[in-house]
Amino acid sequence: MWLLLAFCSAALLGFYDVFKKKSLSKNAVLPVLALNTLFSSIIFIPFILLSHFAPQMLQDSIFYVPDSGGWEVHKFILLKSFIVLSSWAFGYFGMKHLPLTIVGPINATRPVMTLVGAMLIFGERLNLYQWIGVFMAVISFFMLSRSGKKEGIDFKHDRWIWFVVLAAVLGAVSGLYDKYLMGRFNNMQVQAWYNIYQLFMMGGVLMFLWWPKRKTSTPFRWDWCIILISVFLSAADFVYFYALSMEDSMISIVSMVRRGSVVVSFLFGAMMFHEKNLRSKAIDLLLVLIGMFFLYLGSR
């Protein structure tokens, strides 16, 4: 069941990336990110209120949000919010300035980082299949840098590439932390409250960083796709957290399957945004997918 949920989350994530790219095109990044946190919070606030004031309505459902639990619970959720928001900030800036067909395959290397993190932090050991998956992902990254050069993107010196890489690293850290959180807390409690904490964090960022300089930077324009960012991300994360809350779920496999979202984003990058050098990028993507397959074999 949890594996099927992981595939569902991957498809939703693919559309999330597409709407994010569309919303960020010639648009100010920080307001788009802030609105994403706002709409995501609006989605979950009713569940928090109903769970508190009319618990009988949701108590036996998967949408029930347990009482806060105080600082002993929320300090962990607050850390989750900071990690995710940092990853999003780097990822949003990188996606605005780079082709979706470049960003997608880089993000698809997150399962490799998650496995390496599990090895370093939790003392896990990789088997032969997993090492092959890691090797394929590294090779695909170098091949992707070659494809990027054809579009004037230097992987060593382009700061937007490093932004996407940092976003992927923080995303892998978040994935490892998620498995820890799901073993201790309710999935709806984590998802609902970390979105609200992100809203307050982004409020401070807008007030002190973006608002004073808004007239000298890229202007903000409304795009209805901004709402779809929040809808698809919230749905993808809900399914993801629910999958991780199941006892037999494996973060290495769930993380790997979720990166299958790159297939959706790659196809839309080709069809909707008419991006270039698709043939060479498709080969790079194929290597990533083969690497993910070996990770799956090694994690069974």
Side-chain angles (χ1 to χ4, degrees):
M1 178 64 178
W2 59 267
L3 188 58
L4 181 62
L5 291 173
F7 277 107
C8 179
S9 180
L12 292 167
L13 271 183
F15 286 102
Y16 155 72
D17 280 338
V18 172
F19 293 126
K20 183 166 61 174
K21 178 66 175 176
K22 175 68 169 57
S23 299
L24 291 171
S25 180
K26 299 179 182 179
N27 207 354
V29 173
L30 293 179
V32 173
L33 179 53
L35 286 171
N36 178 20
T37 62
L38 172 62
F39 292 129
S40 295
S41 298
I42 289 174
I43 290 172
F44 286 97
I45 285 174
F47 296 115
I48 294 175
L49 295 177
L50 283 173
S51 297
H52 182 75
F53 294 106
Q56 67 279 2
M57 293 181 64
L58 297 176
Q59 200 147 25
D60 296 324
S61 74
I62 59 176
F63 301 108
Y64 178 70
V65 182
D67 283 336
S68 64
W71 177 243
E72 288 303 312
V73 172
H74 282 258
K75 63 183 180 182
F76 293 101
I77 302 176
L78 194 60
L79 177 58
K80 163 72 177 175
S81 300
F82 179 77
I83 295 171
V84 172
L85 194 59
S86 300
S87 176
W88 283 0
F90 284 117
Y92 271 56
F93 276 104
M95 180 166 282
K96 176 182 177 179
H97 295 91
L98 294 170
L100 193 56
T101 47
I102 289 282
V103 175
I106 293 177
N107 281 332
T109 62
R110 286 190 192 185
V112 175
M113 301 179 194
T114 302
L115 272 178
V116 173
M119 181 175 63
L120 296 175
I121 298 170
F122 301 120
E124 294 184 5
R125 292 293 176 263
L126 304 187
N127 56 40
L128 177 61
Y129 287 131
Q130 289 171 329
W131 275 118
I132 293 174
V134 171
F135 181 73
M136 296 291 284
V138 172
I139 293 296
S140 70
F141 187 84
F142 283 108
M143 290 187 66
L144 194 63
S145 69
R146 185 192 61 186
S147 300
K149 285 183 179 179
K150 297 178 181 178
E151 300 179 46
I153 300 171
D154 187 342
F155 268 46
K156 292 181 180 179
H157 302 104
D158 192 303
R159 62 174 173 170
W160 307 121
I161 289 292
W162 287 107
F163 271 41
V164 175
V165 171
L166 276 171
V169 171
L170 288 168
V173 171
S174 178
L176 292 168
Y177 190 46
D178 287 340
K179 184 59 180 175
Y180 170 77
L181 291 177
M182 291 304 100
R184 299 189 59 175
F185 309 119
N186 175 273
N187 59 295
M188 274 294 287
Q189 185 179 29
V190 173
Q191 187 176 6
W193 282 104
Y194 98 75
N195 275 296
I196 291 173
Y197 286 139
Q198 284 182 326
L199 176 61
F200 285 103
M201 291 178 185
M202 278 308 302
V205 170
L206 280 186
M207 184 181 299
F208 296 108
L209 295 182
W210 178 74
W211 186 259
K213 299 181 179 180
R214 69 190 186 284
K215 294 182 179 179
T216 59
S217 60
T218 305
F220 170 72
R221 60 175 181 78
W222 172 254
D223 190 316
W224 285 101
C225 285
I226 295 173
I227 294 179
L228 295 177
I229 294 176
S230 301
V231 171
F232 276 85
L233 176 63
S234 297
D237 278 354
F238 175 79
V239 175
Y240 162 66
F241 282 126
Y242 188 56
L244 284 186
S245 68
M246 297 181 176
E247 287 188 7
D248 58 342
S249 64
M250 298 176 64
I251 182 58
S252 56
I253 294 182
V254 172
S255 177
M256 179 271 297
V257 171
R258 265 170 58 96
R259 285 308 108 198
S261 64
V262 67
V263 176
V264 176
S265 60
F266 192 92
L267 291 174
F268 273 87
M271 295 186 297
M272 182 182 293
F273 303 112
H274 307 292
E275 295 179 358
K276 302 175 182 178
N277 301 314
L278 296 177
R279 182 174 297 178
S280 60
K281 291 176 185 176
I283 296 174
D284 306 333
L285 175 60
L286 180 61
L287 285 176
V288 173
L289 295 176
I290 292 173
M292 290 168 63
F293 176 71
F294 275 101
L295 291 181
Y296 168 74
L297 288 179
S299 303
R300 291 180 61 183

